[in-house]
């Protein structure tokens, strides 16, 4: 048990994981961060179809946001399938939730590469959008302003440190929930999503 925990901590510290985040910790089913006053800022981007859109176009919708990049070989291979499973569950439960995955490596991740990435994951593109087409400085600022999460390259340049959380944004652009993207048991997440949508 001790060595398993140590290995997990090493992965978190060396991989493309979260740094300097604020908000509720995902313990004891405490996912509600609506009192933190966090709002998404606007960001123009290009989606996986090569179309120009922006975050404000999603006003009126509930959507889950996360950060990924296709070259990530540490936690992203866990994050993305977990979010795909969560998307499938929301569709099965009839929950009106969209998904936006923001690449933290826009110079590498063009629309075609992100479309292939999503296809390989088996995502439903009807409700899942991959975002790119901005400058590195823009996504760094967006992550900090919206999710209170620093985004930076590892000192040796081999990786990109970013949040591993999934954030639920309400139709007004408020960030009301935060989920641990590395958690594979998502039963509580589905229940909490349903409750959040019902009560907001």
């Amino acid at each position: 048990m001790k060595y398993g925990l140590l290995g997990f901590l090493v992965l978190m510290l060396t991989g493309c994981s979260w740094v300097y985040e604020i908000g509720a910790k995902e313990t004891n089913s405490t996912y509600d961060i609506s009192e933190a006053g966090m709002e998404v800022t606007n960001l123009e981007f290009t989606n996986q179809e090569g179309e120009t859109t922006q975050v404000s176009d999603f006003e009126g919708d509930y959507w889950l946001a996360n950060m990924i990049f296709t070259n990530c070989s540490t936690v992203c291979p866990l994050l993305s399938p977990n979010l795909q499973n969560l998307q499938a569950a929301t569709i099965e439960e009839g929950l009106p939730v969209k998904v936006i995955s923001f690449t933290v490596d826009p110079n590498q991740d063009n629309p075609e590469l992100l479309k292939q990435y999503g296809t390989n994951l088996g995502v439903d593109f009807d409700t899942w959008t991959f975002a790119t087409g901005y400058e590195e400085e823009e996504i760094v600022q967006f992550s900090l302003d919206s999710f209170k999460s620093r985004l930076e390259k590892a000192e040796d340049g081999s990786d990109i440190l970013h949040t591993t959380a999934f954030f639920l944004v309400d139709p007004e652009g408020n960030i009301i929930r935060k989920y641990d993207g590395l958690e594979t048991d998502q039963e509580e997440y589905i229940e909490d999503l349903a409750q959040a949508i019902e009560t907001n």
Side-chain angles (χ1 to χ4, degrees):
M1 186 70 165
K2 178 175 69 174
Y3 294 106
L5 178 59
L6 179 60
F8 176 77
L9 291 174
V10 168
L11 172 64
M12 291 292 287
L13 290 172
T14 58
C16 56
S17 58
W18 61 269
V19 285
Y20 306 116
E21 297 184 54
I22 69 168
K25 295 186 68 175
E26 294 80 21
T27 56
N28 301 321
S29 302
T30 306
Y31 311 115
D32 188 346
I33 59 170
S34 56
E35 298 302 317
M38 297 167 63
E39 300 179 4
V40 289
T41 59
N42 198 27
L43 178 68
E44 186 174 285
F45 61 86
T46 304
N47 67 18
Q48 72 276 359
E49 305 298 338
E51 302 164 337
T52 300
T53 185
Q54 55 188 341
V55 168
S56 61
D57 291 339
F58 289 80
E59 288 179 4
D61 296 316
Y62 284 95
W63 51 282
L64 286 163
N66 83 317
M67 301 271 182
I68 55 95
F69 65 106
T70 61
N71 254 354
C72 174
S73 60
T74 51
V75 297
C76 295
L78 300 176
L79 293 176
S80 295
N82 284 348
L83 190 53
Q84 190 276 329
N85 290 335
L86 194 56
Q87 180 199 39
T90 61
I91 292 172
E92 183 177 342
E93 295 295 325
L95 298 175
V97 180
K98 295 184 176 181
V99 178
I100 307 180
S101 289
F102 297 91
T103 179
V104 299
D105 191 10
N107 293 331
Q108 165 73 20
D109 290 339
N110 58 36
E112 294 79 15
L113 191 56
L114 289 170
K115 180 68 176 286
Q116 187 60 54
Y117 183 79
T119 300
N120 292 343
L121 281 172
V123 309
D124 186 334
F125 287 110
D126 288 340
T127 58
W128 193 321
T129 297
F130 287 89
T132 187
Y134 32 70
E135 300 296 326
E136 286 184 357
E137 294 79 7
E138 291 181 282
I139 192 62
V140 167
Q141 196 62 48
F142 178 76
S143 180
L144 188 60
D145 291 344
S146 298
F147 307 124
K148 311 307 178 196
S149 302
R150 289 187 60 181
L151 172 60
E152 58 189 31
K153 291 186 177 180
E155 289 186 5
D156 62 2
S158 63
D159 214 339
I160 302 174
L161 305 177
H162 64 84
T163 178
T164 59
F166 301 154
F167 297 92
L168 178 64
V169 183
D170 75 7
E172 287 74 46
N174 303 304
I175 301 171
I176 59 174
R177 292 293 193 275
K178 178 182 173 186
Y179 305 108
D180 180 2
L182 298 174
E183 176 58 62
T184 56
D185 184 357
Q186 299 176 330
E187 184 175 349
E188 286 189 358
Y189 293 1
I190 296 297
E191 294 175 359
D192 189 73
L193 278 169
Q195 182 180 13
I197 292 171
E198 181 181 338
T199 59
N200 280 277

